[in-house]
Structure formats: C-alpha cells, structure tokens
Amino acid sequence: MGTREEELKGLGADFTFGFIQVMDGEKDPRNLLVAFQIVRDLIVKNYALGPFVEELFEVTSCYFPIDFTPPPNDPHGIQREDLILSLRAVLASTPQFAEFLLPLLIEKMDSDLQSAKLDSLQTLTACCAIYGQKELQEFLPSLWSSLRREVFQTASEKVEAECLAALHALSACLSRSVLSSDTEDLLDSFLSSVLQDCRHHLCEPDMKLVWPSAKLLQTAAGASLRTCHRVTRSVVPLLLEQYTKHPQSSQRRTILEMLLGFLELQQKWGHVEEDESALLALRAPVCTVVFSAMTDPSVQLQLVGIRALTVLGSLQGFLSPPDLELVVDHLLRLILHEEDSQSSEAAMEAVGSLAPLYPQMFSERMVPRLGEELAWVSPNTPLRCRCLQALAAVSTHTSIVRETVPVLLQHLRQVQKGNARNAQDVVSVCQSLHRVALQCQQDAESCWYYHQTVVPYLLAMAVQAAMQESTHPLLGKALLEEEALAAMVPVISAANTHLSPELAAQSVSHVVPLFLDGEVSFLPQNSFPCSFQPFEVRGVLGRRLVALLMAFVCSLPRNVVIPQQERLLRELLALSCSCNCPFTATTAAKCFAGLVNKHPAGQQLDEILQLAVNRLEPSLAEGPHRTQALTLLLWVTKALVLRYHPLSSRLTDKLLGLLGDAELGPVAADGFSLLMADSPDVLHKGCHADVRIMFRQRFFTDNVPKLVQGFHGAGPDVKANYLKGLSHVLNHLPKPVLVTELPTLLSLLLEALSCSDRVVQLSTLSCLQPLLLEAPQIMSLHVDTLVTKFLSLASSPTMAVRIAALRCAHALTSLPTTVLLPYKARVIRALAKPLDDKKRLVRKEAVAARGEW
C-alpha cells in the first residue's frame, strides 16, 4: 500500500473484499494494530469500498469496545490504550459508517461497564468532527436520551465529563451544518428537547438535578454563537425570575452561580451587536440581581456577585455609565467597609480586572476617595491597610498609575513628617508600591514613569532621614529602621528589572555617584543640610542605606555598565568587613556579591576577588569582625558557585574548614542553606544574575564527599556542624538526584536524626519525607531504625520537629505493607500520645498519620 497504491486501487472493490477476508477473526494485538491502520488508509486514501462498506465496518467494529489486558512482562509493549485509539481512528474516519456505528454506540452507552461507556462517548465526540445533520438526524433523540440519563444518574465524574464533551460536539456539529430552505432545522429541534428536559429543574434550586441540568444547558450553549443565543434567550429570564422568587441566600447563591455560567459563555463570543444579543435586552434585571447580591449579608452570595460583576464588566458595551458608577461604588464599599476579609479581597481582585477596561471611571471615582480615606484614618489600622492595598489593586492601567503613585508617595511623606517611630506604616506603603511595580513591568511606559517617579523619591526621603540623624534624631527615623529599608528593597528592584538597557544606564549614572560622591542634584527636594557620605564612619543609621544601593545596582540587566564599579566594589568590601551593624555589613556583602556575579570575566574581576580573599583570610582567623567576614565569604562563594567560577572551590574549602571552628562552625553550617537556596533579593534569575543550570548538582558532587569525610574525622563537639551542612545541601537537591545517591548517604542521615540540634533534626526529617515516597525499596531496608527515630522525635520539645516527625511517620505507610505489619501495633499505640498534644497543628498531623497506619 505504501509503494504500489495505483496498482492496488486498480483492483477496485475486490482488493477491499480480499482484505476483509484476511482480517476476519484476527486476534493477535500486533496484527490488529496493523490491520486497523490498513482499514483507515483504505478509507482516507479513497480506495474503492464498493458494496462492502457494512462488511468493512463489521470486521472492525466487532472489536469495539476493546477489552484487552497486556500479559505481564509483555516484550511487545502493546497497551490497551494503543488499540482503543487505533480502532477509534477507523470508526471515526468516515460518515459512511454512521448508520451502523451510532446504534452500536447508543447500545454501549447503556452498558453497565464504565470503560465501555467512556469509550463510546469518546468515539461519539470524535465522529461529530466529520458528521453532518444527515448522519445524525435519525439518532438524535436516542443520543440525547442516553446523554441526559448518564449526566442525571451517574456517580462517575469521568462519565459526566465525557457526556458533556459529547453534547458539546453534537451541538457544534449541528451548528456547522448549512441549512437549505427545504430541510428541518435540526439544531433548533435538538435544543428544544434539551431545554424541555432541563429547564424546569432550574426552578428547584435545592433539588439534586439542578446542577446536572445547568451543566447540560451551559455545555450546549457553549458550542456556538447560535446555541448560545438560543439557550440564553430561554434560560436567563427564568433564572432572573427564580432569583426574585427565592428569598433565601443559599438558594439565591445557587441561582446566581448558574447565571454566572451563562454570563461567562457570553465572554467567549466577544462583542455582539445589540440586535443579536439576547442578554442586552435583559441588562436592567441582570444588573439589579447582581447589585442585590453585592449588598446581601451572606458573604458567599457576595463572592458570587463579585465574580458576576467582573464578567459583566468584561462584556464590551454591556454596562451603561450609571451602571459603571454603581459598580465602582459597590466595590469601594466592600473594600473599605465589609467586615469579612474574603469579600474585601475579592472586590480588590475585581477592581484589578475592571480598572484597565474603564480607567477613566476608576481614576475619577475610586482613586480620590481612597486618597481621602487614607488621609484621615489612623495609622496601623485594618482600614488603612485596605486603603493601601486597594490603591495598589486599582493600579492596572498607565493613566491610573499616574494617579495612585503620587497618593502613595504623599502618604509616605506624611509618615516621615509625623515622627513615626513604628516602621510598620512604611512597610505597608512599600508593599503597595511593590505590587504596583510588578503590575507596571509589562508596560514600558508605566515602567519608566514608575521608575523615574518612585526611585528618586524613596532615595530622597531616605537620604533626608539619614542627614537629620544627628540634628533631629527622631525625625524620619522610621524610614531608617531595618524592616522599613528591607521593604523598600523589593520596590526598587521591581522598578529596575524590566527597564531597557539604555534607560537603566541613564538611571545608574545618577545613583552610583549619589552613594560614592554625595551627588544629590537629581533627587527631588534636594536641599539637604549637609553632604551625604554613607561609606564614611559617621552616621550609623545612614550607612544602612547601602540596602537601597544593593536593590538598585543588583537588579540591573547584565549588559548595563556601572560607573566607577571598581571603586564601588572596594568601598562595599571595606564596609562589609568592618561595620559593627549586622544589617549594614550583610547588605554590603550581598551588594558586593551581586556585582561580582555579573562582572565580566577577566583581570579586573580576578584582582577584585584576590583583594576580597586577602581581606577575608586575616579577618576570619581572629579579631572582632569574624562573623562579618564569614557573612562576606558565604555571599561571595554563592556568587561564584552560581556562575561556575574557578575560585568557588577554594572558597568552599575554606567554608568546610570553618565547620570545625567552635565559634563560627554552627553559622558556617547554616551557610550551606544560603549557598543552595534561592535568594529573594539578589543573585536570582529575576534580577538578571548569572545562574548556571544544575549548579546544585555540581555543588553536591564536588562537596558532599568532603562533608562526609570531615564528619568522620571531626571531634564529637563539632560533628553536628557537618551533619547540619550536609542536611542543608541534601534538602535543596532535586529529589531524583538524591534518590540515586541515597544508599551511600542514608546511614549519615539516620545518624543526623540522633543529633540534639533541632535545625539538623528538622532539615533531615524534611529531606527524608519525600524519599520515603520516592525510594520505598531502599528505605524499607532501614524501617526498624526509621520507626524508632520518628516515634522518638514525635515527642520532641520543638513543635516544628514534632510535626515533621509525624509527617515522616505518615509517609512510612507508602512502604510495602509486608514491611510495615510487624510495626503496626507499636506505631498506633505510640501515636495515641500526640493526639493529645497541646498544639492543634501537631494533633492534626497525628490524626492523619495514625489514621493511615
């Protein structure tokens, strides 16, 4: 058939008849796959079937539905699914089979076997793609009857889903058929049957058939624009009437959820002309129902109302200007004055969806009122938080961002002037600014406006607060608190990451001179009382502003040249090693590491790194700044590990050596978590860091053998440091890699469970839990030790350890039953104690684990 098609076709229907005789009675699944492919080729490539259409159907359909279970260890690897799909491709390849196939499908749909039902429904869906009205006409009543019965009666979600898919395909098929003047409109009569059998159930919102009926109607309506009009015109007025008739909130919620389903179908077909849309005629009653749900005391009904409102707003031209004003008013009321946070959060989400569609309405009607509310409400209250969150939520369009950002910055200025000692208000504003920044990132215009408005403003306020430190110690102090500066970092980072290289270079040319030379001319309100020199010793709080420098320079694209970079690196290096403030020293170290990670390879980088090593080695050996030196070592090592720099192995060896240090050992061990984990503010892909793929696997291969060797040679007082370092590395390793290395490491992990350090215990337990699920055969060999350790740790004084141990005890149940049975009574008895634990979260895990055992 592949090489002699013309000759075979020359035989005419004799070839088809001959093949039917050859295929008849075939049982070998290998031959059947080939035979089904040949039958499909006969049909698709237009071989002559002659009078043998029914015979060809019979010789293939006798295998339907496929009932085949491959034998164990089958060398051919033929699966039941392969045969099902191959046969379906034959049965659904031609409309000529319709008169024989459809009665067979109806018969099998009524079967008691779920597999037969599913196969029949999936085959019917496939056939609808090539059938027309002529093929379906005779069988439509029977097909609808079977589909309706299955959806109304089935307990299987799979069967219901396939029934709905088949109904969708049938409706779409009837919608595609072109009507001639003398033919009956089958789509109309079919939809009439669907409406007649389902519509009356919608009047019983408490009865069990209400949702199956709604699903059938929505599925039929979703097939085409025509079906959507026909069903909507009949069903939506009924639902509106029922909503008015039923006063109970629970019933109204059911009715509104059904109405929401039909509204969402309108979204699917986009903008519709007024004279074509059945929904536009019902605009007033639909809006009345949705608005009434928004004012109902029931939170659940409010939530459905908010979703419906969002859909109505997305229908182009549906809401009139007075309706839109009401929409904004309702959402504002829910955001500010609804006690339940669910409704308030849902309203904010709706605002974010609708604001880009109606920017002028939200700019004029919502933003000023939020600004007024923010001006008089007390600090650190839930209402102020909601105002700030709402201002961020509404900022989803460029024109609105230009209104909301000044309001947020003005509020921040008020906080600074108000001598607030509590940084929480600053943090709240920064969280809102951060959300706005993320929303601006996809639009170049918004992004640049945000960047040149917010970044200089934040820098100016922070610099002013730092300069007033000596003259007015309390003025603006909240801005210099660690948590306030930490909240500003993501704001500045998010404002930078999506800038074009040209704009980023323009901006960095101002910011670096600000920190190195005190060049403040680009800042707004730049009449400062003295010069700004954050790298000088005076002004302890002012040096904390290095956090803002870090946020700026470490989030720039890699191809942006940073002015005076070598000088900046030297200043950061000196500050990170000598500063007594842990926040400042750590921030400077992170900034140094972020710049080193992106620095082009070459002599300049080698010189800077050598300078860092020369500074680190004596500081680590002795002196008052050992902790600062270790912090710098960790961050520089991470920067180099991520980019596969040759010096990274030397620095990692230095870190391994520190695990035996009595003073720095525990901190160095925790540092392995920093090396392996994703960092939120620097050295991650989002801020354009140089992160190579599989750096964790490479670090594991290079360093775990050294950790194991160090553990065996260490004294008893520092062994825990090696275990802690090892458990941190394993915890962040991709699980498939860990499973392959498990046999060599498991004994060490079990030893780590006996360690008294709770961080080691917690890290090891969280490492073991997934391994119990993914490597049950290996873990089964150590089941006795595992059971003993987990039950012992389930009564640990630390809550987090108790929870992790109970989760591991739960995960043990995935091991083979024969392995677990000897321990069953002991475990159930031991797990009775944590059922009475004083902490609810522990009790919850104990219930789950004990129930599984």
Side-chain angles (χ1 to χ4, degrees):
M1 288 178 79
T3 59
R4 293 285 184 270
E5 189 173 320
E6 292 306 315
E7 291 90 325
L8 291 176
K9 284 184 174 177
L11 297 174
D14 287 350
F15 174 61
T16 304
F17 181 64
F19 176 73
I20 290 169
Q21 288 180 307
V22 170
M23 182 179 170
D24 194 17
E26 181 56 63
K27 290 191 175 120
D28 190 306
R30 292 170 294 173
N31 291 344
L32 283 174
L33 280 177
V34 180
F36 291 154
Q37 182 60 49
I38 291 173
V39 176
R40 189 169 186 280
D41 286 348
L42 287 174
I43 294 164
V44 172
K45 294 182 179 176
N46 297 314
Y47 283 75
L49 304 184
F52 304 118
V53 172
E54 186 171 1
E55 284 76 7
L56 189 62
F57 173 77
E58 291 296 341
V59 82
T60 49
S61 64
C62 63
Y63 298 100
F64 184 86
I66 295 286
D67 182 21
F68 167 70
T69 307
N73 307 318
D74 176 19
H76 310 296
I78 295 173
Q79 298 297 315
R80 178 168 172 267
E81 193 66 19
D82 300 329
L83 290 164
I84 287 173
L85 294 174
S86 192
L87 176 56
R88 186 177 301 150
V90 173
L91 297 177
S93 63
T94 174
Q96 294 180 74
F97 283 168
E99 60 180 305
F100 316 116
L101 177 59
L102 290 172
L104 174 65
L105 294 179
I106 291 166
E107 178 196 328
K108 298 300 180 187
M109 272 191 243
D110 299 344
S111 154
D112 292 333
L113 277 174
Q114 181 170 313
S115 59
K117 284 184 197 287
L118 291 171
D119 203 352
S120 305
L121 290 162
Q122 288 163 351
T123 305
L124 173 61
T125 303
C127 289
C128 286
I130 60 160
Y131 286 4
Q133 289 208 12
K134 180 163 67 77
E135 287 79 24
L136 292 170
Q137 183 165 10
E138 183 188 340
F139 304 101
L140 274 177
S142 302
L143 286 168
W144 164 240
S145 174
S146 296
L147 292 173
R148 182 193 64 213
R149 188 190 63 251
E150 286 303 324
V151 173
F152 278 177
Q153 295 179 5
T154 187
S156 162
E157 287 184 15
K158 281 185 186 174
V159 173
E160 183 188 88
E162 293 301 339
C163 281
L164 295 174
L167 176 60
H168 185 279
L170 272 174
S171 304
C173 175
L174 294 172
S175 300
R176 279 196 304 272
S177 302
V178 179
L179 295 173
S180 55
S181 57
D182 58 342
T183 55
E184 180 194 354
D185 184 354
L186 274 188
L187 177 65
D188 197 61
S189 57
F190 179 67
L191 291 177
S192 294
S193 302
V194 174
L195 286 162
Q196 183 182 338
D197 291 340
C198 297
R199 199 171 174 273
H200 62 279
H201 291 302
L202 303 185
C203 303
E204 303 158 349
D206 290 334
M207 305 304 282
K208 70 172 189 175
L209 289 182
V210 66
W211 273 115
S213 299
K215 285 177 186 175
L216 287 165
L217 288 165
Q218 286 167 4
T219 301
S224 70
L225 184 56
R226 212 171 137 220
T227 59
C228 188
H229 285 334
R230 176 79 171 81
V231 176
T232 302
R233 199 165 55 241
S234 174
V235 172
V236 170
L238 175 69
L239 290 174
L240 295 171
E241 180 189 320
Q242 292 303 312
Y243 186 92
T244 312
K245 270 188 184 177
H246 292 86
Q248 286 187 5
S249 293
S250 59
Q251 296 171 323
R252 286 189 159 191
R253 179 188 166 198
T254 303
I255 295 164
L256 190 56
E257 281 182 330
M258 289 189 285
L259 179 62
L260 176 61
F262 288 101
L263 294 176
E264 285 169 340
L265 289 174
Q266 298 288 326
Q267 271 183 312
K268 182 178 177 182
W269 303 110
H271 182 59
V272 181
E273 295 304 320
E274 286 202 34
D275 55 341
E276 291 180 29
S277 172
L279 196 62
L280 270 176
L282 300 165
R283 173 166 37 200
V286 167
C287 287
T288 302
V289 161
V290 173
F291 291 153
S292 81
M294 305 274 283
T295 54
D296 194 273
S298 162
V299 172
Q300 297 308 314
L301 183 52
Q302 283 178 16
L303 293 173
V304 183
I306 293 167
R307 283 164 55 207
L309 195 66
T310 309
V311 174
L312 289 181
S314 68
L315 299 177
Q316 192 180 346
F318 186 84
L319 294 173
S320 65
D323 288 335
L324 275 172
E325 289 181 3
L326 272 174
V327 166
V328 174
D329 292 348
H330 277 298
L331 290 173
L332 193 59
R333 178 185 54 77
L334 287 172
I335 288 169
L336 297 179
H337 304 300
E338 176 56 47
E339 287 181 15
D340 191 276
S341 60
Q342 273 182 291
S343 294
S344 178
E345 286 164 16
M348 287 190 212
E349 201 174 318
V351 163
S353 302
L354 294 175
L357 304 175
Y358 310 101
Q360 188 177 354
M361 181 63 75
F362 279 88
S363 279
E364 293 174 358
R365 200 164 180 89
M366 181 173 273
V367 176
R369 287 158 73 182
L370 286 170
E372 289 166 15
E373 197 83 25
L374 195 59
W376 66 265
V377 73
S378 304
N380 301 321
T381 56
L383 183 54
R384 176 167 283 203
C385 287
R386 284 192 185 185
C387 286
L388 292 169
Q389 288 165 1
L391 281 166
V394 78
S395 304
T396 48
H397 188 273
T398 307
S399 64
I400 305 176
V401 170
R402 290 175 180 273
E403 302 288 332
T404 54
V405 164
V407 173
L408 288 167
L409 293 178
Q410 183 57 33
H411 182 60
L412 201 56
R413 173 67 69 188
Q414 295 303 323
V415 171
Q416 186 190 23
K417 286 181 178 174
N419 298 342
R421 300 185 189 189
N422 186 353
Q424 188 51 50
D425 219 20
V426 178
V427 172
S428 299
V429 181
C430 288
Q431 286 169 345
S432 290
L433 284 169
H434 181 231
R435 181 172 172 183
V436 177
L438 296 176
Q439 289 163 186
C440 288
Q441 284 178 345
Q442 304 313 314
D443 179 72
E445 185 190 343
S446 299
C447 192
W448 180 233
Y449 165 77
Y450 183 92
H451 178 87
Q452 53 181 174
T453 307
V454 174
V455 174
Y457 202 93
L458 287 181
L459 289 172
M461 286 205 300
V463 168
Q464 191 170 24
M467 290 186 178
Q468 288 168 342
E469 182 189 342
S470 54
T471 53
H472 303 84
L474 295 179
L475 200 59
K477 187 170 184 292
L479 286 170
L480 300 176
E481 295 286 350
E482 289 176 14
E483 57 264 46
L485 290 169
M488 289 186 206
V489 166
V491 177
I492 294 174
S493 291
N496 273 12
T497 48
H498 285 62
L499 281 184
S500 67
E502 299 76 28
L503 294 175
Q506 182 184 327
S507 198
V508 75
S509 66
H510 296 304
V511 173
V512 171
L514 166 69
F515 281 86
L516 289 179
D517 305 315
E519 179 52 64
V520 296
S521 58
F522 80 102
L523 296 178
Q525 302 167 346
N526 55 20
S527 55
F528 300 121
C530 55
S531 64
F532 175 60
Q533 299 292 342
F535 288 111
E536 291 186 4
V537 177
R538 63 185 176 82
V540 176
L541 294 180
R543 298 168 81 178
R544 290 182 181 176
L545 299 198
V546 172
L548 305 185
L549 173 68
M550 173 198 78
F552 192 94
V553 296
C554 292
S555 57
L556 295 170
R558 251 185 279 174
N559 54 355
V560 174
V561 177
I562 294 172
Q564 307 182 66
Q565 185 165 4
E566 309 312 312
R567 179 185 163 197
L568 180 61
L569 284 165
R570 290 168 189 271
E571 293 282 13
L572 289 166
L573 180 62
L575 186 61
S576 63
C577 287
S578 61
C579 184
N580 291 321
C581 168
F583 177 83
T584 305
T586 303
T587 307
K590 286 159 77 172
C591 189
F592 181 84
L595 291 173
V596 161
N597 172 265
K598 295 181 193 177
H599 199 296
Q603 187 182 349
Q604 280 188 325
L605 177 62
D606 294 341
E607 287 174 3
I608 281 292
L609 289 173
Q610 190 56 52
L611 190 68
V613 171
N614 294 344
R615 188 80 186 244
L616 277 170
E617 285 178 338
S619 298
L620 283 168
E622 58 183 1
H625 297 118
R626 294 187 76 203
T627 306
Q628 288 91 322
L630 175 56
T631 302
L632 178 64
L633 172 65
L634 284 168
W635 281 104
V636 174
T637 305
K638 182 178 178 74
L640 300 181
V641 163
L642 292 179
R643 65 179 279 177
Y644 290 177
H645 191 280
L647 185 63
S648 62
S649 56
R650 180 180 158 192
L651 296 184
T652 309
D653 289 343
K654 197 173 287 296
L655 195 58
L656 287 164
L658 288 170
L659 291 174
D661 186 287
E663 181 191 349
L664 296 181
V667 185
D670 281 330
F672 281 88
S673 174
L674 186 151
L675 295 182
M676 298 293 280
D678 290 322
S679 168
D681 44 11
V682 291
L683 298 178
H684 61 87
K685 286 184 178 177
C687 64
H688 312 289
D690 186 354
V691 181
R692 305 296 173 90
I693 58 168
M694 297 173 69
F695 77 89
R696 291 184 178 90
Q697 288 90 318
R698 180 169 173 167
F699 187 86
F700 171 86
T701 307
D702 291 348
N703 295 296
V704 164
K706 297 176 186 175
L707 275 167
V708 173
Q709 186 183 353
F711 169 78
H712 289 305
D717 52 335
V718 292
K719 270 186 184 291
N721 296 339
Y722 289 90
L723 286 176
K724 189 190 287 189
L726 177 67
S727 61
H728 282 314
V729 173
L730 299 182
N731 224 356
H732 291 94
L733 201 65
K735 292 302 174 270
V737 180
L738 187 51
V739 168
T740 58
E741 302 289 340
L742 190 56
T744 55
L745 293 172
L746 192 54
S747 57
L748 260 182
L749 285 171
L750 294 174
E751 194 165 340
L753 289 177
S754 305
C755 176
S756 58
D757 188 311
R758 65 182 179 81
V759 176
V760 176
Q761 293 171 348
L762 201 52
S763 193
T764 310
L765 288 168
S766 58
C767 187
L768 285 171
Q769 186 192 346
L771 294 175
L772 288 164
L773 306 173
E774 291 169 35
Q777 302 314 121
I778 301 169
M779 303 301 273
S780 296
L781 302 174
H782 300 270
V783 65
D784 192 68
T785 310
L786 289 168
V787 168
T788 305
K789 301 279 188 193
F790 294 159
L791 294 181
S792 167
L793 291 172
S795 54
S796 160
T798 306
M799 182 180 87
V801 173
R802 296 202 299 278
I803 289 173
L806 289 167
R807 284 178 181 160
C808 286
H810 190 166
L812 276 174
T813 58
S814 62
L815 302 186
T817 308
T818 49
V819 174
L820 298 177
L821 280 173
Y823 302 95
K824 180 180 167 182
R826 174 185 163 194
V827 173
I828 291 174
R829 198 163 52 246
L831 291 180
K833 184 184 175 188
L835 290 176
D836 283 333
D837 197 279
K838 59 186 177 184
K839 295 291 184 182
R840 182 184 62 82
L841 293 174
V842 177
R843 296 196 299 273
K844 181 182 170 188
E845 295 297 340
V847 167
R850 195 166 185 264
E852 205 60 42
W853 272 90

